[in-house]
Amino acid sequence: MAESIFDLKHVRKRVLKDINLSIQKGERIMIFGPSGSGKSTLLHLFNRLEDPDSGQIFYYGEPIDSYDIPQLRKKNGIVLQYPYLFPETVLDNLKYGPSLFDEWQSGNEDKLLDYVNLPKEYLDKPVDDLSGGEKQRVSLARTLANQPEILLLDEPTSALDDQNIESIEEDLMTLMDSKALTTIMVTHNLHQAKRLGTRGLFLADGMIKEEGDLPGMFDQPKTDELQKFINVN
């Protein structure tokens, strides 16, 4: 039986209403639904970028607020929709997280760039000189530098063109397979959810309206809400 990582009990936060959810180690969760349904808010609860207004969240069986926040965020790394990089070089960004914990080791930078398919020559590049797709790759590599157990992805490809989306998806698939990362991803792209996910959560009106295996829940939706969402997306 898979190990439970997160358990949410009657969680409420702004738009979110009575969220009950368990996430097991190794799952690839895709969160999708209409705008304003609480997808990003739900994702942010997993590393305490936001805290619930009521209800409880358990992390490995203990209340999530009993964990040290920097350590929690180290283990639950997040990549946001728009890459917020420090205005220095690529290498400075990669070193930042591990240096906070005195864990940076020279030589890690080459491996991190390999993970996201960037050449070594990029290490000394100012981040302001990078394209949008390159910045998102550096953002992913910076998160991976902390050796997270869980990867939280908040629409990381929504601002990219099709070529960059396909390339970053390939990187993510390789990482999820090779590092056995538990992944929780918000996406508006149902084709992406099918390609990357093993389990889907459909949110609407702040509630989990439907959940199930992917891609099966798209082929046989159980609710009218999901069927309508599929039809317009």
Side-chain angles (χ1 to χ4, degrees), residues 62-126:
E62 300 294 333
I64 196 170
D65 58 8
S66 69
Y67 288 85
D68 176 70
I69 289 179
Q71 287 289 343
L72 180 74
R73 291 177 179 167
K74 178 176 181 289
K75 294 299 183 185
N76 300 289
I78 193 165
V79 179
L80 300 172
Q81 181 177 3
Y82 298 103
Y84 296 100
L85 300 176
F86 305 117
E88 303 294 341
T89 68
V90 169
L91 179 59
D92 291 325
N93 275 270
L94 298 183
K95 291 170 63 175
Y96 178 78
S99 296
L100 293 177
F101 300 95
D102 197 25
E103 293 178 355
W104 178 256
Q105 295 181 8
S106 181
N108 284 355
E109 61 270 24
D110 291 348
K111 180 172 61 177
L112 290 166
L113 289 188
D114 282 343
Y115 285 149
V116 297
N117 281 316
L118 285 177
K120 309 299 184 293
E121 296 77 38
Y122 274 54
L123 287 171
D124 295 323
K125 265 197 172 189

Side-chain angles (χ1 to χ4, degrees), residues 133-161:
E134 290 167 345
K135 287 179 179 178
Q136 194 60 288
R137 289 174 183 278
V138 173
S139 178
L140 176 57
R142 185 177 64 182
T143 297
L144 294 171
N146 281 326
Q147 300 182 13
E149 298 174 358
I150 299 159
L151 195 57
L152 308 173
L153 303 168
D154 194 356
E155 300 202 58
T157 64
S158 64
L160 304 180
D161 58 36

